[in-house]
């Protein structure tokens, strides 16, 4: 079915507050956090609504595997990831984290978790070389890097040059020496 024919079916929420802000009819909040001010509100609306809800995240890989998370599930998981960032990774508001991940669900979880905690996320493409990674780590003064098995060797080859880098977190089924494992911590 064509999406545009059913647009009213897919937009059950009232966005008048956000539209009013964009038209300068309403004050922008002094402290705005997308995770708590938008995602958590949608979770609340989803909980109050009867019947099935639209997924907040619907991810399908090239093999046809899929993950569907409701707003409530995305909120819950992002809070768990926020705890990983502020706990074992020792990140605080204002710290920077370089995230080099392919398009996998963990990428979205990390984005929302960084918003929740006030950690600045620096996204990077998986095509970065060791030299590119080193430059970004030095220029950003990132305290943490998050990547996969494929790029971990490149990170390890330059980590000693990056004095601000304190934590390496790997999104992998297996462990790696001197790296925290995202799945285990979650």
């Amino acid at each position: 079915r064509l999406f545009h024919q059913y647009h009213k079916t897919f937009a059950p929420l009232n966005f008048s507050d956000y539209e009013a802000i964009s038209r300068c009819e309403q004050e922008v909040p002094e402290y705005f956090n997308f995770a708590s001010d938008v995602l958590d509100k949608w979770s609340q609306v989803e909980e109050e609504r009867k019947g099935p809800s639209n997924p907040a995240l619907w991810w399908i890989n090239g093999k046809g595997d899929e993950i569907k998370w409701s707003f409530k599930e995305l909120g819950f998981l992002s809070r768990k990831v926020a705890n990983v960032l502020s706990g074992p990774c020792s990140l605080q508001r204002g710290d920077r984290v370089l995230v080099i991940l392919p398009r996998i669900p963990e990428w979205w979880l990390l984005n929302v978790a960084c918003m929740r905690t006030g950690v600045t996320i620096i996204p990077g493409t998986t095509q970065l070389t060791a030299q590119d990674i080193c430059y970004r780590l030095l220029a950003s003064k990132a305290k943490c890097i998050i990547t996969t098995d494929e790029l971990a060797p490149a990170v390890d080859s330059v980590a000693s040059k990056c004095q601000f880098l304190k934590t390496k977190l790997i999104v992998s089924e297996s462990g790696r020496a001197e790296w925290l494992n995202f799945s285990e911590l979650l």
Side-chain angles (χ1 to χ4, degrees):
R1 74 183 189 195
L2 298 174
F3 182 80
H4 70 275
Q5 291 176 340
Y6 302 95
H7 69 279
K8 291 182 182 174
T9 307
F10 293 102
L13 299 175
N14 181 353
F15 290 99
S16 60
D17 288 345
Y18 299 106
E19 291 170 2
I21 290 171
S22 70
R23 290 190 307 265
C24 299
E25 295 170 359
Q26 186 175 345
E27 292 268 335
V28 175
E30 185 177 352
Y31 300 103
F32 176 79
N33 185 304
F34 176 82
S36 57
D37 294 335
V38 177
L39 179 63
D40 291 349
K41 294 247 193 279
W42 281 50
S43 297
Q44 194 175 21
V45 168
E46 182 181 76
E47 212 170 291
E48 293 167 359
R49 191 178 334 144
K50 304 285 189 257
S53 61
N54 293 323
L57 178 78
W58 189 350
W59 175 86
I60 304 173
N61 69 7
K63 299 174 191 171
D65 302 324
E66 67 181 60
I67 291 177
K68 281 186 188 181
W69 288 329
S70 66
F71 288 96
K72 185 176 181 178
E73 291 167 321
L74 182 58
F76 174 75
L77 290 169
S78 68
R79 282 188 287 280
K80 286 180 74 169
V81 175
N83 288 336
V84 168
L85 295 178
S86 59
C89 293
S90 302
L91 296 173
Q92 300 174 5
R93 178 176 296 282
D95 287 343
R96 298 176 191 109
V97 59
L98 180 58
V99 178
I100 308 171
L101 292 174
R103 289 177 286 175
I104 57 176
E106 290 84 356
W107 189 86
W108 280 274
L109 287 178
L110 284 158
N111 271 271
V112 177
C114 284
M115 290 177 210
R116 275 193 195 286
T117 58
V119 170
T120 303
I121 189 169
I122 304 165
T125 175
T126 56
Q127 297 174 340
L128 295 175
T129 65
Q131 184 178 355
D132 296 330
I133 293 168
C134 184
Y135 173 78
R136 283 163 174 75
L137 286 170
L138 290 170
S140 68
K141 300 178 182 174
K143 290 186 177 181
C144 178
I145 187 164
I146 304 170
T147 193
T148 59
D149 289 320
E150 290 78 24
L151 283 175
V155 173
D156 285 337
S157 72
V158 299
S160 63
K161 299 175 189 172
C162 305
Q163 69 269 21
F164 298 102
L165 183 63
K166 303 294 181 219
T167 308
K168 298 182 287 184
L169 185 63
I170 193 162
V171 178
S172 171
E173 295 297 319
S174 58
R176 186 174 179 89
E178 300 179 16
W179 287 74
L180 297 174
N181 186 289
F182 180 83
S183 301
E184 290 173 10
L185 295 172
L186 193 61

